[in-house]
């Protein structure tokens, strides 16, 4: 359904995207995960035909995406990261405009407008100006605007940025409905839990490259540490992080403020860790263990947390 | 076509839904055009502003009394007697633009000075340097009135010529001058018939002023120029909004949505140009419609020419907006430069003050300013009453400018995202 092969794009000296290849089948949700500046938005822009790649090509439903007026664009719905709506106009007028951009008019336009408003739960606000909407409602309308022409592939660029939990859940439900309807979804985010919740497969991007691509369980298996020991320190006197990392039974160790995250393969290693910390001057205030997450995967792959990247 | 019309319709809905934009585009030119038309247009004598002149008479002779009375009769002046100290203080503080100081003995000395070159009395003009124009006007009026008042004394007083002759007897004077003075003395000594013309030396001509407008009997209507000028100014401001609006589309992510749709560049920019041109035409129609109804402004020349100039200028305004969007990186940066450029263009167009008042080299520069051609074209088709042939050059220049702006806009527009 969606195929991108060896996409490359540079802006001056900056190689924003460096040989990215992606594939998503019908009804599949592919996550594009990475920190800000990883090249996700540029990749999305190339997939949407907004930016011409320096190299590589994109096909949607088997047809190449090329040129401003490419008919292939009709198979694509793009949800920008920004709230790309006209605040001055009512919701219905916004949707009419975005439908008309794809050639919809008359009865078909009205039918599609009702369909998408109903999908995102804004049917009763059709005549209200967007300026009067809450942030969450605008996000939902932002999604609806990309669905007016009933595209087969939907590209979502950070669609939940700045959204309250309730509206986020509403958007997730909308996406579940779209997936159930057989739509192919490419979802970019830097929220690990969103990617884990929505995506069948996830491509992890860093520095313009896809550094890993698999299902969530597959990605988690990449982390040798089966357990993560999370230790909250009482003071900030701990200075032995590098020594800790060199221990044979430590898969990784990370310190953020007064919190230590230590990856170990076996639960039995946890007791050894606590003993070692005590001997090396760490005053423990609180501790618990976790299973590895996508955050752990990113840390394992890049040596950095996604927030630090 | 559906997408094109939807984009044009959207632009017009947003424009007319924006109260600030509507006020700036429609109400502001009408208000300011009305004001300028009133200020610069012909007015009844009772409404005309008079120049206040303080008259310091240190002579109090019949000649200076006559001069005061004569100046007071001039419709352009409001002459008030004053003491020197008060007059000097008033002019310095801006209370009066000019004061005339007449020295003691002025009447007699001036009359005698008609016949000799030396020892002329001095009239002092005290003037506010910020009122040079009024000072020049008063100087001209004063010259005429002094000549008239002094000559009246010289040629009616029995002893003026005699006194002049006495002083000349002691000097080496041309005998022809002495013969002339004796004939004046003889003339003044003869009994005068009642009601004879004794005005003395007067200005030897009168002027008849005829304003050449579209045709005989049609008075100049200053509102035609002021409404044209203000419409041009505020339409160019609308052009800035067109450009800034496009830049804001990019900032708000809407440009992404538009570019993601299967639309050509021509559709995206062309729809913006068409909607702005339509808005411009509506502004001109509303502004001149108001001027027609309220101030009797008529298209005295070719109506087709008027429509042509308005349409060409509206298109130029629209492409000017596209140019701003193409050259501006951010809305904030573009706005400052665009406002500066627009104000310069409006100033050079003659919309504020007629371009003939500019220095020659500035007038030459204004030939490359499209708005100047729009102003000339509107003037030509409205109050000048010229034919369609006089609209051809303005329309051609405006269309050429539109094509140039559009070409640069398409060339420099940032289509791709970075």
């Amino acid at each position: 359904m969606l195929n991108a092969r060896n996409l490359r794009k540079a802006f001056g000296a900056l190689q924003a995207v460096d040989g990215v290849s992606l594939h998503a089948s019908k009804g599949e949700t592919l996550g594009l995960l990475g920190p800000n500046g990883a090249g996700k938005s540029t990749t999305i822009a190339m997939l949407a035909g907004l930016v011409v790649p320096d190299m590589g090509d994109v096909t949607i439903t088997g047809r190449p995406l090329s040129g401003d007026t490419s008919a292939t664009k009709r198979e694509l719905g793009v949800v920008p990261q920004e709230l790309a709506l006209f605040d001055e106009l009512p919701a219905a007028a916004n949707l009419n405009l975005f439908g008309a951009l794809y050639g919809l008019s008359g009865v078909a336009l009205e039918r599609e407008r009702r369909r998408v408003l109903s999908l995102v739960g804004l049917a009763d606000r059709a005549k209200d100006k967007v300026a009067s909407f809450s942030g969450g409602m605008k996000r939902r309308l932002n999604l609806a605007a990309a669905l007016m022409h009933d595209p087969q592939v939907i590209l979502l660029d950070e669609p939940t940025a700045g959204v309250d939990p309730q509206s986020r859940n509403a958007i997730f439900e909308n996406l579940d409905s779209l997936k159930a309807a057989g739509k192919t979804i490419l979802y970019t985010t830097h929220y690990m839990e969103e990617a884990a919740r929505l995506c069948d497969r996830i491509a992890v991007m860093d520095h313009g490259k896809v550094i890993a691509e698999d299902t969530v369980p597959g990605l988690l298996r990449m982390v040798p540490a089966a357990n993560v020991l999370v230790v909250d320190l009482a003071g900030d006197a701990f200075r032995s992080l590098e020594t800790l990392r060199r221990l044979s039974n430590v898969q990784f160790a990370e310190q953020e403020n007064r919190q230590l995250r230590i990856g170990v393969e076996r639960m039995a290693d946890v007791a050894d860790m606590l003993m070692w910390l005590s001997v090396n001057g760490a005053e423990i205030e609180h501790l618990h263990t976790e299973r590895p997450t996508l955050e752990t995967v990113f840390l394992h792959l890049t040596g950095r947390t996604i927030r630090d990247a | 076509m559906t997408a094109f019309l939807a984009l044009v319709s959207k632009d017009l809905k947003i424009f007319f839904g924006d109260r600030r934009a509507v006020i700036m585009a429609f109400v502001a030119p009408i208000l300011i055009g009305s004001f300028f038309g009133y200020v610069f247009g012909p007015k009844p004598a009772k409404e005309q502003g008079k120049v206040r002149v303080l008259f310091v008479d240190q002579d109090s002779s019949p000649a200076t009394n006559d001069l005061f009375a004569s100046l007071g009769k001039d419709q352009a002046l409001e002459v008030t007697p004053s003491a020197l100290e008060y007059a000097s203080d008033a002019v310095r503080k801006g209370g009066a633009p000019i004061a005339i100081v007449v020295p003691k003995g002025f009447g007699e000395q001036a009359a005698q000075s008609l016949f000799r070159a030396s020892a002329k009395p001095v009239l002092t003009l005290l003037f506010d340097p910020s009122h040079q124009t009024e000072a020049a006007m008063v100087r001209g009026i004063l010259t005429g009135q002094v000549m008239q008042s002094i000559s009246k004394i010289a040629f009616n007083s029995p002893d003026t010529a005699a006194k002049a002759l006495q002083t000349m007897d002691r000097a080496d004077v041309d005998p022809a001058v002495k013969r002339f003075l004796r004939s004046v003395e003889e003339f003044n000594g003869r009994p005068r018939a009642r009601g004879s013309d004794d005005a003395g030396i007067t200005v030897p001509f009168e002027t008849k002023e005829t304003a050449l407008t579209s045709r005989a009997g049609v008075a100049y209507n200053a509102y035609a120029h002021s409404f044209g000028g203000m419409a041009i100014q505020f339409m160019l401001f609308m052009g800035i909004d067109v450009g800034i609006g496009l830049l804001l589309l990019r900032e708000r992510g809407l440009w992404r949505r538009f570019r993601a749709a299967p639309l050509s560049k021509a559709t995206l920019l062309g729809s913006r140009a068409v909607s702005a041109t339509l808005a411009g035409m509506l502004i001109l129609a509303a502004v001149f419609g108001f001027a027609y109804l309220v101030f009797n402004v008529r298209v005295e020349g070719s109506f087709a020419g008027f429509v042509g100039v308005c349409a060409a200028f509206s298109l130029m305004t629209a492409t000017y907006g596209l140019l701003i969007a193409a050259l501006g990186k951010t809305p904030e940066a573009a706005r400052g430069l665009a406002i500066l450029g627009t104000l310069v263009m409006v100033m050079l167009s003659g919309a504020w003050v007629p371009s003939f008042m500019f220095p020659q080299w500035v007038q030459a520069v204004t030939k490359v300013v499209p708005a100047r051609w729009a102003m000339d074209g509107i003037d030509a088709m409205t109050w000048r009453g010229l034919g369609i042939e006089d609209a051809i050059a303005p329309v051609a220049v405006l269309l050429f400018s539109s094509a140039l702006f559009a070409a640069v806009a398409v060339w420099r527009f940032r289509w791709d995202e970075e």
Side-chain angles (χ1 to χ4, degrees), chain B residues 92-383:
Chain B
R92 185 178 296 113
K93 291 178 177 174
I98 193 160
I100 302 168
V101 182
V102 185
K104 189 164 181 57
F106 174 81
E108 188 175 337
Q109 289 173 36
Q112 291 187 27
S113 292
L114 278 174
F115 311 112
R116 64 184 183 201
S118 61
K120 290 180 184 294
V122 175
L123 269 179
T124 302
L125 296 184
L126 306 173
F127 70 96
D128 182 338
S130 66
H131 289 261
Q132 301 267 2
T133 309
E134 289 95 326
M137 185 183 82
V138 170
R139 192 182 303 120
I141 294 172
L142 183 64
T143 303
Q145 295 297 355
V146 167
M147 281 300 292
Q148 198 152 321
S149 296
I150 296 304
S151 66
K152 198 187 293 181
I153 297 297
F155 290 93
N156 287 287
S157 170
D159 60 348
T160 305
K163 284 182 180 174
L165 272 171
Q166 285 171 12
T167 59
M168 286 179 183
D169 281 345
R170 295 191 294 271
D172 182 17
V173 177
D174 189 332
V177 174
K178 291 182 180 176
R179 283 198 299 276
F180 169 69
L181 282 174
R182 286 194 189 95
S183 72
V184 170
E185 188 180 15
E186 183 186 352
F187 172 77
N188 286 345
R190 285 163 50 184
R192 196 66 46 88
R194 184 184 292 272
S196 64
D197 185 0
D198 58 355
I201 293 177
T202 60
V203 178
F205 62 90
E206 289 183 349
T207 55
K208 179 187 175 188
E209 297 178 0
T210 304
L212 286 177
T213 56
S214 55
R215 60 180 183 275
V218 177
Y220 168 62
N221 190 333
Y223 291 98
H225 179 84
S226 63
F227 270 70
M230 288 306 111
I232 282 173
Q233 172 170 317
F234 285 93
M235 277 177 64
L236 287 171
F237 281 137
M238 185 200 73
I240 295 177
D241 284 344
V242 169
I244 301 297
L246 273 170
L247 291 170
L248 283 172
L249 285 184
R250 193 189 298 280
E251 229 177 49
R252 292 163 68 182
L254 282 155
W255 193 247
R256 281 192 143 204
R257 235 192 243 296
F258 290 163
R259 292 282 289 128
L263 302 175
S264 66
K265 296 179 174 80
T267 298
L268 286 172
L269 285 193
S271 63
R272 198 74 188 96
V274 167
S275 61
T277 303
L278 289 175
M281 292 288 283
L282 285 170
I283 290 170
L284 282 166
V287 168
F288 275 97
F290 183 91
Y292 173 87
L293 292 173
V294 178
F295 297 114
N296 201 34
V297 169
R298 296 285 185 272
V299 179
E300 302 286 358
S302 163
F303 188 77
F306 176 75
V307 172
V309 171
C310 290
F313 179 65
S314 299
L315 180 63
M316 193 227 83
T317 304
T319 53
Y320 176 60
L322 299 185
L323 184 70
I324 290 168
L327 300 181
K329 287 203 166 181
T330 64
E332 295 76 18
R335 191 184 299 278
L337 278 176
I339 287 175
L340 177 66
T342 299
L343 288 177
V344 169
M345 187 153 41
V346 171
M347 183 177 66
L348 294 178
S349 74
W352 293 342
V353 290
S355 52
F356 66 77
M357 294 178 69
F358 301 155
Q360 282 297 319
W361 71 270
V362 179
Q363 288 191 42
V365 168
T366 63
K367 294 282 185 188
V368 299
V369 177
R372 156 80 193 273
W373 291 88
M375 190 71 254
D376 286 356
I378 288 173
D379 278 348
M381 296 302 109
T382 53
W383 66 270

Side-chain angles (χ1 to χ4, degrees), chain A residues 79-119:
Chain A
V79 183
Q81 187 172 347
E82 304 88 351
L83 290 167
L85 301 164
F86 289 99
D87 282 357
E88 314 87 321
L89 299 177
N94 269 279
L95 296 177
N96 285 347
L97 169 66
F98 297 126
L101 297 184
Y102 291 85
L104 292 177
S105 62
V107 176
L109 182 68
E110 195 171 327
R111 185 184 63 236
E112 290 304 310
R113 190 187 69 223
R114 285 185 179 157
R115 179 181 67 81
V116 298
L117 279 171
S118 174
L119 177 76

